[in-house]
Amino acid sequence: MNISMITASTAMNGFQNKLDVIADNVANVDTNGYKRKTATFADVMTNVLQQGEDFERPGRATPSGYTTGYGSRLNSIQRDFSLGELVSTGVDTDIALQGNGLFEVQTAEGNAFVREGQFQLMPDARAGVAPGGILTTKQGHVVMGANDQPIRIRNGFELRIDSLGRVFEYNVAAGDPIQVGVLKIVEPTKPELLMQADDNLYVIPAGTPRESVVTTLNLTNIPPDGMLPLTVRQGMLEKSNVSLTDEMADLIQAQRAYQMAARALSSGDAMWGLANSLRG
């Protein structure tokens, strides 16, 4: 197999991966809190071949060698954590983060992180506790508080969350709101290490230290300059940051590049067939 066929086949594989990434983004254009994927590519192998003495001529200014490559491959898939559009829902359990952060939740497999803030109050049937509900995701994963305990609201009280992530339960008859906890929010310091899981969750790979991937934020500790890393918005949801226009433009480019690589592969195969027929 000659170099042109190797280059074309590896390029087709890379563009197929690119198309898969675009398809995933388009499929989640309406998923709350979804962060679009971006694919990066790298050269498979590059060689510098030297030309013979016949190419050496007086006055030549360029090097005698020339570079040949073997196409490109998918190097990594990263997440674009830029902020999506915030929309008002008026629902008390809908919470959005304006800034770089993730909610920490508890799943059956362990702790995970989520950007989507479409939460709900699920009845807490544990014995020995007053009737009420705990804050969970729509899939039932428990939203963690800063003390690594669930956020619980008693029956007859309304949920209130301020911009610092402090959680209150409020009842007109009870007077002033009563603070019951603080949302546990983390900042991804190396988002490329987070792995995508089911239910729009992110998890830390096994064997990777937590502190090397995320940092727990303390929004109640306001810095001297008053600039908070993020703010919490109750009654709002963050939409996907996927731009359908950009994805369609990338799709057209990837499809045309794939077609060009396929034609190069077909041409190389035809040339080999011609050479084999002449040889026979």
Side-chain angles (χ1 to χ4, degrees):
M1 183 181 293
N2 59 19
I3 295 178
S4 65
M5 295 182 67
I6 296 175
T7 303
S9 60
T10 55
M12 289 176 65
N13 183 65
F15 289 127
Q16 181 60 59
N17 292 327
K18 174 69 172 178
L19 291 172
D20 292 340
V21 170
I22 296 173
D24 198 9
N25 288 339
V26 173
N28 289 279
V29 68
D30 291 324
T31 301
N32 293 326
Y34 178 82
K35 299 303 178 183
R36 69 183 296 266
K37 297 177 182 178
T38 58
T40 59
F41 295 85
D43 293 337
V44 174
M45 184 171 62
T46 302
N47 290 333
V48 177
L49 303 180
Q50 297 297 325
Q51 296 170 323
E53 297 180 355
D54 294 339
F55 290 89
E56 295 289 346
R57 291 291 183 269
R60 175 172 177 167
T62 59
S64 59
Y66 64 94
T67 302
T68 179
Y70 293 88
S72 61
R73 65 175 178 86
L74 182 67
N75 188 36
S76 64
I77 298 177
Q78 298 181 350
R79 291 279 177 173
D80 177 10
F81 275 88
S82 60
L83 183 67
E85 179 186 5
L86 298 183
V87 295
S88 177
T89 63
V91 180
D92 290 343
T93 53
D94 288 345
I95 308 170
L97 296 178
Q98 189 171 9
N100 184 25
L102 298 168
F103 299 103
E104 185 163 345
V105 298
Q106 188 178 60
T107 70
E109 292 76 25
N111 285 14
F113 312 99
V114 66
R115 181 74 181 189
E116 179 185 5
Q118 192 172 8
F119 299 148
Q120 61 184 359
L121 285 174
M122 180 176 292
D124 189 357
R126 292 178 299 172
V129 298
I134 55 176
L135 193 64
T136 69
T137 66
K138 62 182 181 181
Q139 295 84 9
H141 306 306
V142 178
V143 179
M144 302 302 294
N147 59 352
D148 291 326
Q149 297 297 320
I151 300 294
R152 189 173 184 280
I153 303 296
R154 292 177 292 172
N155 282 347
F157 287 79
E158 298 179 2
L159 174 68
R160 291 289 184 268
I161 301 176
D162 65 9
S163 60
L164 301 179
R166 295 178 296 188
V167 183
F168 301 85
E169 54 181 18
Y170 175 71
N171 185 294
V172 177
D176 295 334
I178 303 172
Q179 184 173 347
V180 295
V182 180
L183 291 173
K184 189 172 185 179
I185 301 172
V186 302
E187 179 183 10
T189 53
K190 291 185 178 180
E192 65 276 7
L193 295 182
L194 289 174
M195 291 178 56
Q196 181 73 48
D198 295 336
D199 299 334
N200 207 12
L201 299 175
Y202 300 98
V203 296
I204 298 176
T208 303
R210 173 191 171 99
E211 57 274 10
S212 66
V213 183
V214 297
T215 301
T216 303
L217 296 177
N218 183 7
L219 299 179
T220 59
N221 186 15
I222 302 177
D225 58 4
M227 297 295 293
L228 294 173
L230 61 80
T231 53
V232 181
R233 303 295 186 189
Q234 185 180 18
M236 304 186 76
L237 283 177
E238 181 188 7
K239 307 297 288 184
S240 167
N241 67 348
V242 174
S243 170
L244 196 57
T245 302
D246 294 341
E247 298 302 323
M248 289 298 102
D250 288 346
L251 176 62
I252 293 173
Q253 292 178 353
Q255 284 181 327
R256 290 183 175 177
Y258 185 90
Q259 291 172 354
M260 183 180 66
R263 290 179 180 177
L265 183 61
S266 299
S267 299
D269 182 62
M271 292 176 64
W272 270 108
L274 179 60
N276 289 332
S277 64
L278 293 175
R279 190 177 305 169

